[in-house]
Amino acid sequence: MIANLVGGKWSEPSGRESLPVFNPATGEVIEQVPLSGAQEVERAVEAALKAYAHWSVSAIGERAQLMFRYKALLETHAEALAAIVTRHHGKTLDEARGEVRRGIDVVDFACGAPTLLQGRTLRAVSREVDQDYYRYPVGVVAGITPFNFPVMIPLWMFPLAVMAGNTFVLKPSERTPLGAVRLAELFLEAGFPEGVLNLVHGAQETVDALLSHPGVSAVSFVGSEPVARYVYQQAARNRKRVQAAGGAKNHIFVMPDADLSLAIPAILNSAFGNAGERCLAGSVAVAIAGAGKALVERLAAETRKLRVGPGDQSGIDIGPLIRDEHRRRVLGHIERGIREGARPVVDGRDDAYLGRAGFFLGPTILDQVTAEMAAAREEIFGPVLSVADAAQLKDAIAQANRVEYGNMAAIFTDSGKSAREFRERIEAGMVGINVGVAQPFAFYPFSGWKSSFYGDLHIHGTDGVDFYTRKKVVVSRW
Ligand code: NAD
């Protein structure tokens, strides 16, 4: 059984139920994760509150030195972290390496805290009166993370939070808890004091205990839309600051003037990378003004070349899904799409994948998807790409804007005019122009819109600094 980290000590909660952690490529159980309850959460929040008393007033330079040491340890252990990700998530090693890199990017950003945490001053706001603001930490922050990026998403949160002087209780995904365990071990090795980062494993009950604990001042959440909405409402009801990133249904537009040699691999990587289990996955390709036929044929031909298999083997493009139960859900989406009239030009429901150990599913392309079909509106979170047509760019934009999500959208075009029109009118917070996965770098916020994000200040970037600090304004006359 894997252990919780409370006040610098690892311990298994006694008498608690547990869940299996799988290797999705083999279907084998590799660990057990405990389902912590209110008592374990109480201990972790107490430890974080105790550490907050001294950590929140520690010198920023000392904190930065610890974070630089952490960054060096993460670099040294990057390959081992990637292997852990692949082992219990299933994505390919290259994808896992990319995830670890994007996580370390946020640690790099957090190392800049002595600059990022500076306040502002305006002298002489009135005669002989000056005004300043200082940034203060908010207190104990709880972080709740999803299964699909077991290293990167925890790193989106706690490095920046602790650099701002907060202490942290992390509740990793119960399906992929092992990345966070290794991150926490390295955090202690870097020399951070006990109680600054705590780890409590579990699921809904654990989250509920965090959301109702009066010692928790702020909540960072990433996961599915219904849970994001629930966490946002509950945390706000309990007077906590909250940022909650949810699901997605991302559209990729292809104009007739697009360079298909650039667009095709980018769309395939966007749709099928990480086996489609990515909130920035391109899920609907929209062929505009007759771009359709050539697009579908080339997408299908290239998709048939993709190799599905265990992520730790070389030459593999698509790893398994996270669980058999999730695979069945994705199969249900494919069946529904076909029932509603979509044409499966590549069908991943092949015994070569479904019949073997592990939770594999081949890539699928559904053509002739229309705006009314579920395949154009609902998050599938698997290797399924819908292809739709639109007469003009403005029709495609209107169609995409009717979807409840607004995480990412992308366009492939050679026309600056089309790209600008798209950028101006698409209702998505992350926009790709000739880029299939428009992930903001760590120094910019991860900016989902509509039902893809509940809150005001997004995760990481300068939004992250604002979220993890509160401002005190001082008006002084001497
Ligand atoms: P999930 O919502 O099932 O779980 C996320 C976290 O919430 C986990 O830690 C889980 O234990 C907890 N949780 C689950 N059900 C709960 C409940 N009823 N009450 C309280 N807590 C609960 O999400 P997932 O399946 O792990 O992750 C995939 C989802 O996350 C997808 O929808 C994906 O789009 C989304 N996601 C969004 C972003 C983003 O930045 N917008 C990034 C990654 C993933």
Side-chain angles (χ1 to χ4, degrees):
M1 178 108 81
I2 59 178
N4 288 340
L5 174 64
V6 175
K9 314 267 178 314
W10 293 95
S11 63
E12 289 175 17
S14 58
R16 299 296 308 182
E17 284 175 43
S18 65
L19 286 177
V21 179
F22 289 86
N23 177 341
T26 62
E28 288 164 341
V29 175
I30 53 174
E31 259 300 355
Q32 289 288 327
V33 61
L35 295 175
S36 308
Q39 213 180 331
E40 287 78 22
V41 165
E42 175 67 34
R43 290 181 53 230
V45 175
E46 278 304 312
L49 281 168
K50 190 165 164 222
Y52 183 74
H54 55 84
W55 182 249
S56 58
V57 293
S58 61
I60 184 71
E62 286 168 25
R63 279 186 249 154
Q65 286 309 314
L66 290 170
M67 196 52 75
F68 277 117
R69 218 176 296 157
Y70 189 46
K71 140 92 177 167
L73 281 170
L74 291 172
E75 295 286 2
T76 306
H77 294 271
E79 193 58 23
L81 281 164
I84 292 171
V85 170
T86 293
R87 183 158 177 259
H88 75 325
H89 174 280
K91 67 182 72 177
T92 69
L93 263 177
D94 271 351
E95 289 167 343
R97 290 182 183 116
E99 154 170 6
V100 171
R101 173 56 40 211
R102 283 308 192 93
I104 296 176
D105 282 353
V106 189
V107 177
D108 290 349
F109 178 65
C111 286
T115 307
L116 295 169
L117 294 174
Q118 289 173 13
R120 283 164 68 175
T121 295
L122 182 63
R123 53 169 287 282
V125 284
S126 175
R127 195 173 180 80
E128 296 190 356
V129 174
D130 305 322
Q131 192 161 295
D132 322 280
Y133 85 64
Y134 297 81
R135 287 182 187 273
Y136 288 78
V138 294
V140 174
V141 179
I144 300 154
T145 53
F147 80 83
N148 62 332
F149 287 95
V151 163
M152 180 183 77
I153 294 183
L155 289 177
W156 279 2
M157 300 175 179
F158 71 81
L160 205 48
V162 303
M163 281 311 291
N166 303 286
T167 54
F168 207 90
V169 179
L170 175 64
K171 204 299 286 171
S173 167
E174 66 279 21
R175 289 184 279 182
T176 53
L178 301 178
V181 170
R182 192 66 191 123
L183 290 178
E185 287 169 351
L186 294 173
F187 191 83
L188 292 181
E189 198 178 323
F192 283 94
E194 60 185 42
V196 172
L197 173 66
N198 305 275
L199 210 59
V200 191
H201 296 286
Q204 179 173 355
E205 187 187 343
T206 327
V207 171
D208 282 335
L210 284 166
L211 297 179
S212 60
H213 198 297
V216 172
S217 298
V219 178
S220 295
F221 174 88
V222 178
S224 60
E225 190 279 333
V227 184
R229 188 161 18 106
Y230 170 77
V231 167
Y232 178 68
Q233 289 168 343
Q234 282 302 108
R237 187 167 294 132
N238 293 326
R239 293 180 294 168
K240 302 180 195 317
R241 187 178 278 214
V242 53
Q243 51 180 193
K249 187 75 186 177
N250 307 309
H251 287 59
I252 301 187
F253 293 1
V254 182
M255 299 297 288
D257 58 15
D259 174 354
L260 288 190
S261 66
L262 176 78
I264 299 282
I267 294 171
L268 294 183
N269 172 277
S270 184
F272 302 134
N274 229 49
E277 293 171 330
R278 186 154 66 177
C279 71
L280 295 179
S283 181
V284 186
V286 187
I288 295 165
K293 195 159 183 330
L295 178 72
V296 173
E297 278 169 12
R298 287 183 60 177
L299 281 172
E302 293 305 314
T303 299
R304 289 191 192 99
K305 294 181 194 159
L306 296 174
R307 285 143 306 176
V308 178
D312 59 358
Q313 286 182 11
S314 65
I316 294 298
D317 301 298
I318 303 180
L321 293 177
I322 189 66
R323 292 284 180 275
D324 183 42
E325 158 201 341
H326 181 57
R327 176 171 62 176
R328 276 188 265 123
R329 231 176 52 83
V330 176
L331 285 167
H333 277 287
I334 298 172
E335 282 152 21
R336 180 165 176 197
I338 295 168
R339 243 190 353 262
E340 291 181 347
R343 193 172 67 93
V345 284
V346 182
D347 193 337
R349 298 170 299 167
D350 192 313
D351 275 348
Y353 310 129
L354 299 178
R356 61 203 267 189
F359 314 131
F360 295 99
L361 176 63
T364 295
I365 298 183
L366 298 176
D367 191 19
Q368 295 169 8
V369 168
T370 59
E372 306 72 48
M373 295 182 192
R377 290 180 285 109
E378 292 179 13
E379 182 174 51
I380 297 176
F381 225 56
V384 181
L385 174 66
S386 301
V387 181
D389 278 319
Q392 294 183 55
L393 178 57
K394 69 175 175 26
D395 306 325
I397 292 174
Q399 191 172 309
N401 285 350
R402 276 198 290 274
V403 172
E404 68 162 304
Y405 300 107
N407 218 35
M408 185 203 80
I411 189 169
F412 285 84
T413 181
D414 258 2
S415 154
K417 183 173 185 293
S418 301
R420 186 177 191 282
E421 181 182 351
F422 174 74
R423 187 198 73 203
E424 288 295 300
R425 296 181 43 210
I426 196 75
E427 289 173 12
M430 291 173 274
V431 167
I433 296 176
N434 296 320
V435 167
V437 179
Q439 178 174 0
F441 280 82
F443 20 90
Y444 280 87
F446 199 90
S447 317
W449 281 17
K450 295 161 76 180
S451 299
S452 296
F453 181 77
Y454 298 108
D456 304 286
L457 294 165
H458 290 88
I459 295 176
H460 68 60
T462 46
D463 270 22
V465 176
D466 284 335
F467 184 76
Y468 292 128
T469 55
R470 47 188 169 165
K471 300 182 187 86
K472 189 177 278 188
V473 177
V474 179
V475 185
S476 46
R477 174 189 286 131
W478 288 98

